[in-house]
Amino acid sequence: MLWIVRFSGFISAAMVMIVLSPSLQSFPPAEAIRSSHFDHRLKFSGQIQSVNSLNKFSFRKASPFYNADECTNSSFNKKIGICDPSLVHVAITLDFEYLRGSIAAVHSILQHSLCPENVFFHFLLSNPNLETLVRSTFPQLKFKVYYFDPEIVRRLISTSVRQALEQPLNYARNYLADLLEPCVHRVIYLDSDLVVVDDIFKLWSTDLGSKTIGAPEYCHANFNKYFTENFWSNRKFSGTFIGRNTCYFNTGVMVIDLVKWRRFGYTKRIEGWMDIQKNGRIYELGSLPPFLLVFAGHVAPIEHRWNQHGLGGDNVRGSCRDLHPGPVSLLHWSGSGKPWLRLDSKQPCQLDALWAPYDLYGYST
């Protein structure tokens, strides 16, 4: 079984290069955000999040997955605890809008991991009914669900250029250090609109050095555009970047040292900037700018292959994009265009075909 999984991973990576080799190009970064295609339904959350709706929403059961012989725990004990040091911890949000993407992301990680039984998933959600669905789709999966109360952050969320940016679950990553068990010292945070085509343990092994977070950085991007004139004209605000070699980074893929995060109280620092935003309007985009304010210039660099982002186009049109030049370990449809929506509409972009093999979605009869 394992050789099939490895061969599948090789084919997926090969497909990326074959499809893209005629026209690899760089493009401006897009923030990792939630799609606005279903924004109008949020006004009728009872219709979306009812148990009746969930009963009609199902996924095919994923194939069994097993550790390779060379894994530390090749015959991994299913009852092993969350605090076991051999585990790789991955956090992903779950909601009805992005559930299809989240399931595909998990599926991709399992398919390309040499030691999939050593991966522990932490799901952040606002609807507890989703736990049953995950368990039926991945019966072997080691995971725990964490209820994220929207009221924790709702008072801090300011109006944005798009309503999708204002959804509380976008900000759940700010609270990972509070939600996860104290024995979890490190976690990989992943957005729900991506697939991994490499072994997640390679990302997990990132050397953060003295830094709290690691992420691919894009220093060619126009950093100034993420903040308003009101921010740059106020020395008290803009002075926060003095002496820092600031670069844009996408918050959809991060390796986080939770011990340092808790020690230095980064959740409160992020909340502090969000509170200023409520009164001073220092940025326009949702959950990204507070991360830039706190961490830009203090990020452990990770290879760009681990966040080939922007495949969802910009935040409005969702147009088709190519990848950045170079190798690929993770494909990220940040921006407004999502592969499952474009595939269903029969108007896919070329790269959406690389997401489709991980899709387990289907309606129950």
Side-chain angles (χ1 to χ4, degrees):
M1 184 67 186
L2 183 62
W3 73 268
I4 295 176
V5 172
R6 289 175 178 169
F7 182 73
S8 171
F10 173 79
I11 291 296
S12 296
M15 284 176 63
V16 172
M17 300 312 297
I18 291 172
V19 170
L20 294 173
S21 58
S23 59
L24 289 169
Q25 64 181 40
S26 182
F27 48 84
E31 185 187 5
I33 59 173
R34 298 186 174 276
S35 171
S36 63
H37 288 276
F38 297 101
D39 281 355
H40 64 286
R41 297 189 187 181
L42 294 174
K43 299 176 182 178
F44 307 97
S45 58
Q47 296 177 13
I48 296 178
Q49 301 185 12
S50 67
V51 175
N52 290 336
S53 296
L54 184 61
N55 288 339
K56 297 177 182 179
F57 198 55
S58 65
F59 292 84
R60 301 184 300 279
K61 185 165 69 172
S63 300
F65 52 89
Y66 305 98
N67 281 356
D69 292 339
E70 55 263 47
C71 294
T72 304
N73 296 303
S74 57
S75 57
F76 210 61
N77 185 353
K78 292 182 179 179
K79 296 182 180 180
I80 198 144
I82 194 173
C83 298
D84 189 277
S86 66
L87 291 174
V88 172
H89 296 275
V90 179
I92 301 178
T93 59
L94 291 181
D95 65 3
F96 281 92
E97 287 184 48
Y98 266 38
L99 187 59
R100 189 168 171 184
S102 298
I103 294 295
V106 172
H107 193 205
S108 71
I109 291 170
L110 297 175
Q111 285 206 10
H112 294 283
S113 293
L114 187 67
C115 309
E117 295 179 89
N118 291 31
V119 182
F120 194 103
F121 289 88
H122 304 262
F123 295 118
L124 314 178
L125 48 80
S126 296
N127 189 311
N129 292 322
L130 295 175
E131 179 177 0
T132 302
L133 191 150
V134 173
R135 198 171 297 281
S136 64
T137 305
F138 302 105
Q140 295 176 260
L141 197 68
K142 292 179 176 65
F143 74 92
K144 182 176 179 178
V145 299
Y146 303 80
Y147 175 74
F148 179 70
D149 184 358
E151 298 306 316
I152 292 176
V153 73
R154 197 184 302 278
R155 65 176 181 81
L156 293 170
I157 299 175
S158 58
T159 56
S160 187
V161 291
R162 292 173 55 235
Q163 187 180 358
L165 295 169
E166 302 170 21
Q167 302 311 313
L169 203 57
N170 284 332
Y171 298 84
R173 58 190 157 206
N174 301 359
Y175 298 89
L176 284 170
D178 299 326
L179 293 169
L180 273 56
E181 284 74 7
C183 66
V184 178
H185 296 167
R186 171 181 287 217
V187 68
I188 297 171
Y189 173 82
L190 297 177
D191 270 353
S192 302
D193 52 356
L194 55 77
V195 292
V196 177
V197 294
D198 203 345
D199 192 338
I200 195 71
F201 184 78
K202 296 177 184 177
L203 181 59
W204 174 256
S205 302
T206 298
D207 182 6
L208 297 181
S210 62
K211 305 296 193 297
T212 300
I213 70 169
E217 294 182 291
Y218 303 88
C219 297
H220 67 279
N222 181 6
F223 191 84
N224 291 355
K225 74 176 184 178
Y226 292 99
F227 302 96
T228 64
E229 180 60 30
N230 186 43
F231 173 86
W232 292 115
S233 63
N234 188 320
R235 291 186 179 182
K236 180 181 178 181
F237 297 153
S238 60
T240 191
F241 291 130
I242 292 177
R244 293 163 60 177
N245 184 20
T246 56
C247 294
Y248 163 83
F249 65 94
N250 180 283
T251 53
V253 178
M254 295 185 292
V255 180
I256 304 174
D257 184 328
L258 295 175
V259 175
K260 288 190 179 73
W261 186 293
R262 293 166 181 140
R263 181 188 305 156
F264 296 110
Y266 284 118
T267 297
K268 291 297 183 183
R269 297 191 193 188
I270 290 173
E271 287 181 333
W273 282 112
M274 292 176 67
D275 196 46
I276 291 172
Q277 161 73 356
K278 289 283 289 187
N279 301 311
R281 203 67 187 173
I282 57 176
Y283 54 81
E284 297 295 345
L285 294 174
S287 59
L288 169 64
F291 263 84
L292 296 179
L293 285 161
V294 173
F295 291 111
H298 302 301
V299 176
I302 294 177
E303 288 184 274
H304 287 178
R305 66 188 303 154
W306 283 105
N307 194 354
Q308 292 281 353
H309 67 283
L311 304 186
D314 60 26
N315 291 329
V316 180
R317 295 184 300 273
S319 54
C320 297
R321 294 279 183 85
D322 286 335
L323 290 176
H324 297 282
V328 179
S329 293
L330 185 150
L331 298 156
H332 188 186
W333 279 261
S334 58
S336 60
K338 303 306 170 189
W340 56 92
L341 296 176
R342 297 195 294 215
L343 288 164
D344 286 352
S345 68
K346 309 300 182 184
Q347 295 179 321
C349 294
Q350 189 178 35
L351 293 178
D352 295 344
L354 299 176
W355 178 89
Y358 307 101
D359 185 18
L360 294 174
Y361 174 76
Y363 284 100
S364 60
T365 56

